[in-house]
Amino acid sequence: LKDSSPLWKFPTDRFVNYFFLNEAFKIIVDEVLNKGTDVQQKVCDWKEPEELAQLLDLELRAAGEPHHRLLERVRDVAKYSIKTSHPRFFNQQFAGVDYHSLAGRFLSEALNTNLYTYEAAPVFVLMENEVLRSLRLLIGWTEGDGIFCPGGSTSNMYAMNLARFQLFPEVKSQGLCGLPRLAIFTSSQSHYSVKKGAGFLGIGTDNVILVKVDDGGCMIPEDLDEKIALVKSQGTVPFIVSCTAGTTVQGAFDPLDRIADVCEKHKLWMHVDGAWGASVLFSKQHRHLLKGIERANSVAWNPHKLLLAGLQCSALLLRDCTGLLKRCHVANATYLFQQDKFYDLDLDIGNKSLQCSRKVDCLKLWLMWKAVGSSGLEERVNKAFFNARYFVQELKKRKGFYLLHEVAPAIKERMMKKGSMMVGYQPLENKVNFFRMVVLSPLVSQEDMDFCLDEIERLGNDM
Amino acid sequence: LKDSSPLWKFPTDRFVNYFFLNEAFKIIVDEVLNKGTDVQQKVCDWKEPEELAQLLDLELRAAGEPHHRLLERVRDVAKYSIKTSHPRFFNQQFAGVDYHSLAGRFLSEALNTNLYTYEAAPVFVLMENEVLRSLRLLIGWTEGDGIFCPGGSTSNMYAMNLARFQLFPEVKSQGLCGLPRLAIFTSSQSHYSVKKGAGFLGIGTDNVILVKVDDGGCMIPEDLDEKIALVKSQGTVPFIVSCTAGTTVQGAFDPLDRIADVCEKHKLWMHVDGAWGASVLFSKQHRHLLKGIERANSVAWNPHKLLLAGLQCSALLLRDCTGLLKRCHVANATYLFQQDKFYDLDLDIGNKSLQCSRKVDCLKLWLMWKAVGSSGLEERVNKAFFNARYFVQELKKRKGFYLLHEVAPAIKERMMKKGSMMVGYQPLENKVNFFRMVVLSPLVSQEDMDFCLDEIERLGNDM
């Protein structure tokens, strides 16, 4: 160390920075929020990968660039990105924008808070607890536990780990070596994260037993019961049933009440993957779809899907009141979770998480909820259901649609290159490719739904 | 469905929303970026949990609130949150704000992109590949693989899963049942996520073998070698050594070159947890600390720490070129990863991830890197080292500091309630509590460092 050398002055001018951020904000408002939700504009400005790479000039170099150049880059990134809030983005189970949530997301990013201790995140420790409490109340639980996870897949994996730990607490320290084979039950239409989780947790994807579904895509409880009995007779230990409330493709809701009976009979942990469908609990009209959810041990719920909270906002909710979550995940790192602190150590919620750094995901949901109230969120759910039913009803009036199934990939290509809308497609078991229409943004109008049907006809016209 | 009922008109006025977002943006700039980095202001406005809960009025209700009330809430959240970008926040391994990164974060949030397929995220699929390539080049790898994870803990767990899969590919489908006991090696000073990961992956925390460290906190390769041999002789199968580049408490760098020799000898996967320290690779002056890192199989690197990219930005980098990451994690969900697409399927990188929904973490780093260049990031690293050395040098001039160790918790309480600065404390093995000073923000000045020493003296004066 050169004793005499003065420490650097950070070579930035605050006002220059503010100006830059302000200009970037204007571009975001203009390109993403204004043009990006304008039905007259394209959903996507399709480019082939090689061309796009060149347009963006992605390479990172030794020297920095001036602000005017960076602002062009902000505009380019916005321009060539998919407008997921566009009224004609029906491609995935997230869409639409809520400005209150977005304000919360900007604030979370600016504060750059790490959510592990009360001293580092006083506001958000209390806020996360309150948001989780309010979500639990909708399930019907007046007490319980929970945590926000980086996505529904992670929430599902947490549930598996908790179920396993409850049955075999020694698995945390000793691992699976020496334990009998364990089995997970879920329907053939459940989300693929159940299998991913089984692989990651050392259980093995072969030990995910797929239960049959009915024509609507709902798990058949009798088949579940039989398969559990069969697996037990082979010496394997079942430990969790992962139900789905809102399957990925058909949007089916497993019959939770009847599955709860089976779980009680066999003393199994009942998990509900409600990443998509749990938000229906806000709707008095539709919440019957989730009848029996209060009997589950855990629920995964992604307000970033149907409620438009913004990626990522995924809660894992637990009925447990014994501190299972903390016992299962605690590592008690001494540099974060000192035991001689001057406040209640239960506020250091980081011990419940498998993450160390954890982003704040509760603020965006809290602020949006404050803004529109439970009643506003209810209306959002009801409108999505109304739109979906309207679409099906209109579809039935059009004769040609069944025939189009086999050409979905070709129509999809034309759709993307034209940029008029985005709809996903996929096969289902032995059926050929079909379009999977996801309708959830409250921005979607009757006109958009009609457009969508017309456009598929147009795109497939000369095939 | 009532056939005649018109579909809802979404009950929001775009201009009202823009006005709200604009006002919220101004509050964020004012409270978080302006006051929050002003050394004359408090780092935290300490409140007891009960009082804070009341001030914030956290409860969520049926009815929504008007915008002026919501803007007060935005201001309150900002006011009572910790100012992690304040020059006197020395509490954790993230601090400071970079406005270019922040612009990228706002843009990511507004676009609300889910990073799984090229069609859903064309810009970010290419951008993530380019950022990962650039990070790998700093390690010394001209090819390889990688992915952004939600935090360093997850990156470390991915590495364990990959190492296990490479050794026993059947573990994905069949699980650990029937396999021999597996063992992980890491130093006694490594991050607690290694143990958390061992628990989660079904390996068991008891099977994390802790290797001795020298006085500086660096792993002793001879002890590693001996412990591997011992474990093997007991019939357990070692499969990974998790080294640390920048330990949590002492900031120690394990001797990677010598550990690589041991790993080669025993044919073990070498992982480097460089969540904190890998950023030193930007500095020509200090990168010798990571000598041998190019011999590793995987590296976890969090640009959200030393480089100020903002939470979360955590890369897992792999030397592998055979598609191990994808083979290990792929689930091939048909609704996302159709095999009859009209573009190169290698661009659907979601199959590499354990997440389904995955946020965009590359843009903030890319934009910041474009803005300041590799040379600017190098300067940032050099300044952090310079500040840290200055602090130690000044500390040595002050006689009273050793004695203060036993009263760290009490000084910490006074510090928080006064809000003058934030420094963490912790014990280390058999040593009593001491302050753990984290210096990384380029906003930190010589004056701040002197203030910190003076303030600890002041706070501890009458004890």
Side-chain angles (χ1 to χ4, degrees), chain B residues 81-193:
Chain B
S81 287
I82 302 300
K83 307 304 183 296
T84 64
S85 300
H86 193 284
R88 289 177 186 164
F89 178 85
F90 305 113
N91 207 60
Q92 263 103 11
Q93 289 171 321
F94 64 99
V97 61
D98 180 289
Y99 287 78
H100 315 100
S101 160
L102 193 56
R105 287 141 78 189
F106 285 3
L107 180 55
S108 301
E109 290 294 333
L111 285 167
N112 203 37
T113 306
N114 207 331
L115 188 43
Y116 31 47
T117 60
Y118 182 74
E119 72 183 20
V123 171
F124 302 119
V125 163
L126 300 178
M127 187 180 282
E128 180 170 273
N129 281 343
E130 183 63 22
V131 172
L132 292 171
R133 190 182 75 87
S134 300
L135 292 173
R136 280 196 306 265
L137 281 175
L138 286 161
I139 294 175
W141 296 338
T142 52
E143 42 183 13
D145 204 346
I147 194 161
F148 277 91
C149 294
S153 297
T154 307
S155 294
N156 288 341
M157 291 181 204
Y158 270 43
M160 289 181 205
N161 194 37
L162 289 163
R164 180 172 69 176
F165 178 74
Q166 196 186 43
L167 197 60
F168 299 107
E170 69 275 23
V171 81
K172 183 179 176 182
S173 57
Q174 295 171 27
L176 291 166
C177 186
L179 281 190
R181 187 177 299 278
L182 305 179
I184 296 166
F185 295 80
T186 194
S187 92
S188 59
Q189 295 301 308
S190 70
H191 189 255
Y192 67 87
S193 57

Side-chain angles (χ1 to χ4, degrees), chain A residues 194-219:
Chain A
V194 179
K195 283 208 168 188
K196 282 210 181 188
F200 197 54
L201 273 72
I203 292 161
T205 55
D206 288 354
N207 296 315
V208 176
I209 313 296
L210 297 182
V211 181
K212 283 184 198 156
V213 295
D214 61 23
D215 285 346
C218 306
M219 191 195 285

Side-chain angles (χ1 to χ4, degrees), chain B residues 31-266:
Chain B
E31 291 287 331
V32 183
L33 301 177
N34 200 340
K35 285 194 213 158
T37 59
D38 180 351
V39 79
Q40 303 301 321
Q41 303 273 338
K42 285 184 177 185
V43 179
C44 69
D45 190 348
W46 177 262
K47 301 287 170 200
E48 297 297 332
E50 301 72 26
E51 189 189 354
L52 183 57
Q54 218 162 16
L55 281 169
L56 294 170
D57 175 30
L58 290 168
E59 196 188 332
L60 296 159
R61 306 186 181 90
E65 295 183 346
H67 277 174
H68 71 86
R69 187 74 197 88
L70 294 171
L71 292 171
E72 283 169 33
R73 296 193 177 283
V74 169
R75 193 179 294 277
D76 282 349
V77 167
K79 180 171 161 55
Y80 296 114
S81 287
I82 302 300
K83 307 304 183 296
T84 64
S85 300
H86 193 284
R88 289 177 186 164
F89 178 85
F90 305 113
N91 207 60
Q92 263 103 11
Q93 289 171 321
F94 64 99
V97 61
D98 180 289
Y99 287 78
H100 315 100
S101 160
L102 193 56
R105 287 141 78 189
F106 285 3
L107 180 55
S108 301
E109 290 294 333
L111 285 167
N112 203 37
T113 306
N114 207 331
L115 188 43
Y116 31 47
T117 60
Y118 182 74
E119 72 183 20
V123 171
F124 302 119
V125 163
L126 300 178
M127 187 180 282
E128 180 170 273
N129 281 343
E130 183 63 22
V131 172
L132 292 171
R133 190 182 75 87
S134 300
L135 292 173
R136 280 196 306 265
L137 281 175
L138 286 161
I139 294 175
W141 296 338
T142 52
E143 42 183 13
D145 204 346
I147 194 161
F148 277 91
C149 294
S153 297
T154 307
S155 294
N156 288 341
M157 291 181 204
Y158 270 43
M160 289 181 205
N161 194 37
L162 289 163
R164 180 172 69 176
F165 178 74
Q166 196 186 43
L167 197 60
F168 299 107
E170 69 275 23
V171 81
K172 183 179 176 182
S173 57
Q174 295 171 27
L176 291 166
C177 186
L179 281 190
R181 187 177 299 278
L182 305 179
I184 296 166
F185 295 80
T186 194
S187 92
S188 59
Q189 295 301 308
S190 70
H191 189 255
Y192 67 87
S193 57
V194 179
K195 283 208 168 186
K196 283 211 181 187
F200 197 54
L201 272 73
I203 292 161
T205 54
D206 288 354
N207 297 315
V208 176
I209 313 296
L210 297 182
V211 181
K212 283 185 199 158
V213 295
D214 61 24
D215 286 344
C218 306
M219 192 194 285
I220 300 173
E222 292 75 17
D223 189 57
L224 171 67
D225 190 27
E226 281 168 30
K227 286 199 162 118
I228 293 172
L230 179 67
V231 156
K232 276 184 174 174
S233 73
Q234 295 163 340
T236 296
V237 178
F239 72 104
I240 187 170
V241 177
S242 186
C243 320
T244 317
T247 60
T248 323
V249 179
Q250 289 179 284
F253 287 75
D254 285 346
L256 301 181
D257 234 356
R258 291 170 58 211
I259 295 172
D261 292 340
V262 179
C263 289
E264 275 176 20
K265 176 178 161 191
H266 294 282

Side-chain angles (χ1 to χ4, degrees), chain A residues 200-254:
Chain A
F200 197 54
L201 273 72
I203 292 161
T205 55
D206 288 354
N207 296 315
V208 176
I209 313 296
L210 297 182
V211 181
K212 283 184 198 156
V213 295
D214 61 23
D215 285 346
C218 306
M219 191 195 285
I220 301 173
E222 292 74 17
D223 190 56
L224 171 66
D225 190 27
E226 280 168 32
K227 286 201 162 119
I228 292 172
L230 178 68
V231 156
K232 275 184 174 175
S233 73
Q234 294 164 339
T236 295
V237 178
F239 73 105
I240 187 170
V241 177
S242 186
C243 319
T244 316
T247 60
T248 323
V249 178
Q250 290 179 283
F253 287 74
D254 286 345

